[in-house]
Amino acid sequence: MRRKLLLGNWKMNKTSKEALTFAKQTDELVKIAKENNVDLGVAPTYLSLQIVKENVSCDMIVASQNCHFEDYGAFTGEISIPMLKDIDISWCIIGHSERRSYDNETDEKCNKKIKALFANKMVPVYCVGETLTQFENGQTKEVVERQIRIGLKDLTKDEVKNLVVAYEPVWSIGTGKNASKEIAEDVCKFIRDILCDMFGEVSEDIRILYGGSVKPDNIKQYLSCPDVDGALVGGASLNIDSYKQLLINII
Ligand code: 13P
């Protein structure tokens, strides 16, 4: 049985002070989540990771939005996995579409990062999804399959049982045009089938999230889909009341 997962991606939002204010209001939510078998988390900016981690319950997931695949070296502006581990961060989003489009994050680079994360016993949240043009041209599955097969190449069954995949159609991110639950289920099921082909029955343990304009009033439909195990939420995770409502609406 896969546990539900609600993860807020704060992107480039919140100063450390704002992040701290949010963090201090999460205790009750973590309790509610735990009682209802939901894993709850947020992904603050690098600068706020530590302050958030230190001010939330240990049951709350605090994820990085990115990492480098090398442990150290001449990579100006980057943060390594040992640096994240040093502040007790054990989750990391990889391959978000904004990084794919603005920072040349390729499937090959994602693969290196995911391998490095697993080598460090961390949990990657691997994001995949098609652009509007690809969607309109009927290429969704072809694109997603490539992202999955390259991004997860050469991983072991043992590693991927802790993997989280997020299907985020690019056309639905920040646009208010959320995918229908039928599309979400169809693509998430397709992803699970590829995972099964690559890794066998461990694919049943891998959590697959939907992301893209998820709001308190539309989240429930996604969680009713058999292959959607949770949501990766941007805008609606920034405000504590809306974040709480997202949680309440899936328990
Ligand atoms: P929105 O929920 O703001 O559409 O963002 C989705 C997303 O990109 C989460 O990673």
Side-chain angles (χ1 to χ4, degrees):
M1 184 66 186
R2 299 181 296 267
R3 278 170 72 87
K4 291 181 199 168
L5 170 59
L6 173 61
L7 187 60
N9 175 9
W10 288 352
K11 309 189 178 184
M12 197 176 71
N13 291 289
K14 293 190 189 296
T15 62
S16 296
K17 266 189 204 149
E18 290 164 347
L20 175 61
T21 305
F22 186 105
K24 284 184 168 168
Q25 298 175 80
T26 53
D27 277 358
E28 186 209 344
L29 304 196
V30 180
K31 205 164 149 262
I32 296 171
K34 202 171 177 190
E35 283 165 6
N36 291 280
N37 294 319
V38 178
D39 286 336
L40 186 66
V42 288
T45 68
Y46 282 142
L47 281 177
S48 299
L49 279 172
Q50 188 165 10
I51 197 142
V52 170
K53 182 73 189 170
E54 286 173 356
N55 284 277
V56 293
S57 147
C58 59
D59 290 318
M60 176 112 173
I61 295 161
V62 182
S64 176
Q65 296 175 17
N66 182 34
C67 66
H68 199 277
F69 50 83
E70 294 288 356
D71 281 357
Y72 58 88
F75 301 101
T76 302
E78 296 286 347
I79 296 284
S80 74
I81 294 170
M83 292 170 192
L84 295 174
K85 282 173 72 175
D86 185 47
I87 57 166
D88 290 329
I89 300 298
S90 55
W91 284 59
C92 185
I93 296 174
I94 295 294
H96 191 278
S97 72
E98 285 144 19
R99 294 203 53 80
R100 288 178 186 267
S101 39
Y102 307 137
D103 294 277
N104 194 29
E105 191 95 319
T106 60
D107 296 330
E108 289 76 9
K109 207 194 267 184
C110 290
N111 181 244
K112 285 187 181 174
K113 293 182 179 191
I114 293 169
K115 279 185 183 155
L117 285 164
F118 279 133
N120 282 281
K121 309 247 173 300
M122 296 195 27
V123 180
V125 179
Y126 180 45
C127 301
V128 296
E130 80 288 4
T131 63
L132 180 60
T133 312
Q134 291 164 337
F135 174 71
E136 288 174 345
N137 290 338
Q139 295 170 308
T140 299
K141 290 186 176 171
E142 179 193 324
V143 169
V144 167
E145 177 158 11
R146 190 171 58 238
Q147 291 169 331
I148 293 284
R149 289 200 185 271
I150 300 175
L152 304 180
K153 195 164 177 271
D154 297 332
L155 298 174
T156 66
K157 291 180 190 189
D158 211 38
E159 287 172 329
V160 293
K161 65 172 187 273
N162 293 317
L163 173 75
V164 177
V165 175
Y167 168 55
E168 298 203 304
V170 181
W171 48 269
S172 73
I173 296 178
T175 58
K177 290 187 195 143
N178 56 304
S180 67
K181 75 174 203 299
E182 288 76 19
I183 293 180
E185 169 59 19
D186 185 41
V187 182
C188 291
K189 165 90 173 64
F190 175 72
I191 291 171
R192 198 174 304 285
D193 288 345
I194 302 168
L195 294 171
C196 182
D197 183 50
M198 293 174 76
F199 304 108
E201 65 187 26
V202 72
S203 59
E204 287 302 315
D205 297 335
I206 299 174
R207 289 187 282 185
I208 305 178
L209 315 179
Y210 167 76
S213 295
V214 174
K215 308 286 175 212
D217 63 3
N218 66 26
I219 191 168
K220 200 178 176 142
Q221 58 176 332
Y222 298 114
L223 272 293
S224 70
C225 300
D227 286 286
V228 181
D229 306 306
L232 182 57
V233 186
S237 74
L238 291 171
N239 171 283
I240 191 78
D241 295 328
S242 156
Y243 184 67
K244 179 174 182 177
Q245 211 50 54
L246 287 164
L247 172 66
I248 301 294
N249 291 356
I250 58 166
I251 59 179

